[in-house]
Amino acid sequence: DGGITQSPKYLFRKEGQNVTLSCEQNLNHDAMYWYRQDPGQGLRLIYYSQIVNDFQKGDIAEGYSVSREKKESFPLTVTSAQKNPTAFYLCASSPERNTIYFGEGSWLTVV
Amino acid sequence: EDQVTQSPEALRLQEGESSSLNCSYTVSGLRGLFWYRQDPGKGPEFLFTLYSAGEEKEKERLKATLTKKESFLHITAPKPEDSATYLCAVRDSNYQLIWGAGTKLIIKP
């Protein structure tokens, strides 16, 4: 089935630790995105990529890093520099400048 | 500044009680307005895209409309399974997406 797969669904991070969230799509979409969602707030853009080997910072990129080595994959690393990482993370993809579609999300909790 | 505001924040309805959710926006050069449904702990599910004032789209009990300043999501005779958070987003002239905070809809049987 075509879609966007995020893994893991639940992830726990210790203080000072980097963690990576995986996002894979088989929709042949050019653009991919990472959003953060906190309770009662709208989606906030972390990073986006419109083509392979190129990506741009969103509104809240500090403490996060990404790579886009393959069209299908856009992993997000939450670094120890991100002081408040507990949130619901959403990966999305779209044909260029068109409707975006989301994965099922990943919960990250600091322990 | 480009902005999207959704109202109300939460809406409780009885099953079968029709109502509307509002998404008002201020954006330079609208390139599309999008409605999504989000269930708890899940990713948003795409519902509609509207591009120009006067445009309407329907899907089952949902109907989305668009004016130059706002969009409405009309829900006709809702059922408990329509309970979810409904998100609105607009794409501006730079093709950036701006999101509203959502409306939490609860349909009581």
Side-chain angles (χ1 to χ4, degrees):
Chain A
D1 287 346
I4 302 167
T5 302
Q6 291 187 236
S7 62
K9 180 69 176 180
Y10 301 96
L11 187 59
F12 299 91
R13 193 194 89 168
K14 296 181 180 179
E15 295 287 344
Q17 188 179 48
N18 294 352
V19 293
T20 297
L21 306 179
S22 169
C23 179
E24 303 278 332
Q25 56 100 358
N26 60 7
L27 301 169
N28 199 35
H29 287 169
D30 291 313
M32 296 188 74
Y33 312 79
W34 275 105
Y35 284 93
R36 170 177 172 146
Q37 189 174 37
D38 295 282
Q41 295 190 33
L43 300 178
R44 291 187 290 170
L45 182 64
I46 304 172
Y47 270 98
Y48 66 102
S49 168
Q50 294 178 321
I51 57 173
V52 174
N53 292 322
D54 188 46
F55 47 83
Q56 287 78 40
K57 293 182 179 180
D59 301 318
I60 56 166
E62 185 175 351
Y64 300 97
S65 66
V66 294
S67 62
R68 186 86 186 276
E69 298 177 359
K70 300 187 296 182
K71 187 175 183 177
E72 316 83 69
S73 179
F74 193 41
L76 173 73
T77 296
V78 184
T79 74
S80 57
Q82 172 49 240
K83 298 307 178 187
N84 185 24
T86 297
F88 189 50
Y89 290 87
L90 288 160
C91 178
S93 71
S94 73
E96 187 179 356
R97 298 181 172 183
N98 210 320
T99 302
I100 72 169
Y101 298 89
F102 288 88
E104 286 295 289
S106 293
W107 290 95
L108 174 62
T109 304
V110 175
V111 296
Chain B
E1 181 183 345
D2 295 343
Q3 193 170 353
V4 175
T5 303
Q6 291 189 247
S7 61
E9 289 186 13
L11 181 61
R12 295 174 184 270
L13 300 172
Q14 289 294 135
E15 183 173 1
E17 181 184 0
S18 301
S19 188
S20 296
L21 313 182
N22 177 264
C23 173
S24 63
Y25 63 91
T26 53
V27 66
S28 55
L30 181 71
R31 294 285 186 263
L33 183 143
F34 305 84
W35 282 101
Y36 290 81
R37 169 195 170 123
Q38 186 176 23
D39 292 303
K42 299 284 186 69
E45 174 190 349
F46 170 69
L47 293 173
F48 305 109
T49 306
L50 303 167
Y51 288 104
S52 55
E55 190 174 357
E56 299 182 351
K57 289 193 177 174
E58 289 188 64
K59 179 180 180 180
E60 297 180 354
R61 295 178 291 282
L62 300 177
K63 178 180 178 181
T65 62
L66 181 65
T67 73
K68 290 186 178 180
K69 294 183 177 180
E70 59 192 347
S71 176
F72 292 94
L73 185 65
H74 307 277
I75 302 175
T76 302
K79 299 181 178 181
E81 54 261 41
D82 294 321
S83 297
T85 295
Y86 290 84
L87 301 174
C88 170
V90 300
R91 200 181 285 279
D92 66 15
S93 56
N94 294 318
Y95 292 91
Q96 301 301 309
L97 271 176
I98 304 140
W99 291 86
T103 293
K104 184 174 183 178
L105 178 65
I106 299 169
I107 308 298
K108 296 182 282 186

